[in-house]
Amino acid sequence: MSGDGVVAHNRRTYFAENVDQTRTHLNIEYCYTPIEEAYHQLFDAAQEEYNAKQKRKDRRIENYYEKICNGDQEKPFYEVIFQAGNKDDMAAAGENGELAKTILDKFYHSFLERNPQLHVYSAHLHMDEATPHLHIDFIPFTTGSKRGLSTRVSLKQALADQGITGEGRSLTESDLWVQKEKEALAAIMLEHGIEWEQKGEHKEHLSVLEFKREKRKEEIAELEQTLECVQQKQVSVQALEQIEAKPLPLTSKVAVEREDYQTLVTAAQKYVVQEKQEGKLKKLLKEAKRTIADMKAKIESLVAELTAVKEELAQYKSVRGQLRTADLEQENDRLRKRIRTYEDVISRNNLWNYFANHKRKDVQKNEKESER
């Protein structure tokens, strides 16, 4: 991330609502230099060298920091935040708070060793929020540049100088670098008996990314080798075309130089080998086409079989529905008989007064039936 106010928050020149000020004294300020001063330290010599070469005043750089801030090519600085665990398992005020502090402290010092091209001008470890965490603010720079200042701001080139190169938007230098730093933190955590549980990772694990990159390198190497073979064949053809046969006097035969003769023999041998390879490839292609044809026929057969099964299933469902209707009718008859039995019991025991409403409905029902 980059933006105004970040360092002010890190140095606690103002306090956010989530800060416990009774614990602020436990924070660690590893380093702090105002960013303008950090730029002077890093780039003033290169800026003076660059300006000395400029014949036009409008091409000179008066303030490199302001130039970067006002430009669109690079950000003036970057900030990364690292923490181990969360407020539930590594709370700052909990029993594991000091352990988290120890891990992050060791990680910070190793960060400086791993990243010589990232100038850290501000770094703070916070123990006064829910979970201990580390803020590292840095300016990425590269040296020996042929364009612009010899020492200039560039995250992409700074990481490349550290041996980290990406392959487009799907696998950027930043992706690889962030993942490597996470793994470095995980290694320190493991030294203290804490295993990295990768929750909600939006990027693939580094091993997967590197595997893809190595596969691409292998593919490129194969293509380059194929191209070299093609180029060699082209050279051979050109060499053959340049061979000149000299007629022998008093005979129909011709003569060629010994070196040219050897070239012809080698070309003929290669041609025979290529013919054999081509024959094998044609045979394999023919077998592949035959296999494809067999598969198509099998698929058509399976499709026809599936259609028949579907029709049979539809008939089964229809018959099953009819059978189900018959079962329901039998169940209705059984229930009607049971109801008549209950009514007989009620009549014999003069209990209809307890079913007055039901009896009236039943009388009305019987009257309607008698009218019919």
Side-chain angles (χ1 to χ4, degrees), residues 26 143 154 213 220 231 255 334:
L26 300 173
T143 57
S154 174
R213 182 167 63 175
I220 291 172
Q231 290 173 343
R334 187 176 65 81

Side-chain angles (χ1 to χ4, degrees), residues 69-125:
C69 289
N70 296 327
D72 298 325
Q73 297 297 321
E74 298 287 346
K75 296 179 181 179
F77 75 98
Y78 293 81
E79 176 174 292
V80 284
I81 304 173
F82 296 93
Q83 73 178 49
N86 53 44
K87 63 182 178 61
D88 297 324
D89 49 36
M90 298 289 273
E95 58 181 357
N96 291 326
E98 285 300 315
L99 176 59
K101 183 178 181 179
T102 300
I103 291 170
L104 293 173
D105 179 76
K106 187 173 182 179
F107 172 77
Y108 169 71
H109 291 96
S110 68
F111 180 94
L112 298 178
E113 296 174 1
R114 283 190 306 276
N115 298 284
Q117 299 302 123
L118 308 181
H119 177 74
V120 178
Y121 69 94
S122 175
H124 299 78
L125 196 160

Side-chain angles (χ1 to χ4, degrees), residues 20-264:
D20 181 1
Q21 298 186 38
T22 64
R23 297 179 54 82
T24 300
H25 67 282
L26 300 173
N27 294 349
I28 299 177
E29 181 175 276
Y30 291 106
C31 66
Y32 171 70
T33 302
I35 190 169
E36 294 88 345
E37 184 178 335
Y39 262 74
H40 286 307
Q41 294 173 2
L42 279 172
F43 306 112
D44 271 5
Q47 180 179 318
E48 290 178 8
E49 179 187 4
Y50 174 81
N51 287 339
K53 297 178 181 179
Q54 304 305 313
K55 296 180 179 180
R56 291 172 48 180
K57 290 185 178 181
D58 60 336
R59 290 187 176 179
R60 294 178 182 176
I61 298 174
E62 299 300 329
N63 188 312
Y64 187 58
Y65 173 68
E66 291 182 359
K67 175 180 173 59
I68 295 298
C69 289
N70 296 327
D72 298 325
Q73 297 297 321
E74 298 287 346
K75 296 179 181 179
F77 75 98
Y78 293 81
E79 176 174 292
V80 284
I81 304 173
F82 296 93
Q83 73 178 49
N86 53 44
K87 63 182 178 61
D88 297 324
D89 49 36
M90 298 289 273
E95 58 181 357
N96 291 326
E98 285 300 315
L99 176 59
K101 183 178 181 179
T102 300
I103 291 170
L104 293 173
D105 179 76
K106 187 173 182 179
F107 172 77
Y108 169 71
H109 291 96
S110 68
F111 180 94
L112 298 178
E113 296 174 1
R114 283 190 306 276
N115 298 284
Q117 299 302 123
L118 308 181
H119 177 74
V120 178
Y121 69 94
S122 175
H124 299 78
L125 196 160
H126 287 163
M127 295 294 294
D128 56 357
E129 295 180 50
T131 309
H133 56 277
L134 177 66
H135 294 261
I136 300 178
D137 298 89
F138 63 86
I139 303 166
F141 69 96
T142 183
T143 57
S145 178
K146 303 297 183 182
R147 178 174 58 85
L149 272 63
S150 58
T151 300
R152 61 184 178 87
V153 175
S154 174
L155 179 62
K156 180 182 179 71
Q157 192 57 48
L159 295 179
D161 292 344
Q162 295 182 180
I164 301 174
T165 55
E167 294 182 6
R169 294 181 180 178
S170 61
L171 180 57
T172 66
E173 295 80 7
S174 298
D175 293 335
L176 287 170
W177 175 72
V178 168
Q179 193 67 26
K180 282 182 178 292
E181 289 302 315
K182 288 181 180 180
E183 291 192 345
L185 177 57
I188 296 174
M189 289 164 55
L190 195 58
E191 292 175 4
H192 293 80
I194 302 173
E195 189 173 349
W196 179 18
E197 183 181 2
Q198 299 182 44
K199 293 182 177 180
E201 288 294 311
H202 298 294
K203 296 292 183 182
E204 296 174 278
H205 194 271
L206 180 62
S207 59
V208 178
L209 296 173
E210 289 186 337
F211 172 76
K212 288 184 177 180
R213 182 167 63 175
E214 290 303 317
K215 291 297 290 182
R216 288 183 182 178
K217 287 182 179 178
E218 290 176 7
E219 292 171 0
I220 291 172
E222 290 178 2
L223 289 173
E224 289 177 346
Q225 187 175 2
T226 303
L227 178 60
E228 185 178 353
C229 292
V230 171
Q231 290 173 343
Q232 288 177 353
K233 289 180 181 178
Q234 290 175 345
V235 172
S236 299
V237 171
Q238 292 174 357
L240 291 175
E241 290 176 346
Q242 292 174 0
I243 293 175
E244 184 179 354
K246 300 177 181 179
L248 295 174
L250 305 177
T251 178
S252 59
K253 296 180 180 180
V254 295
V256 294
E257 298 291 337
R258 182 177 295 276
E259 186 178 348
D260 292 339
Y261 171 76
Q262 190 59 46
T263 301
L264 287 170

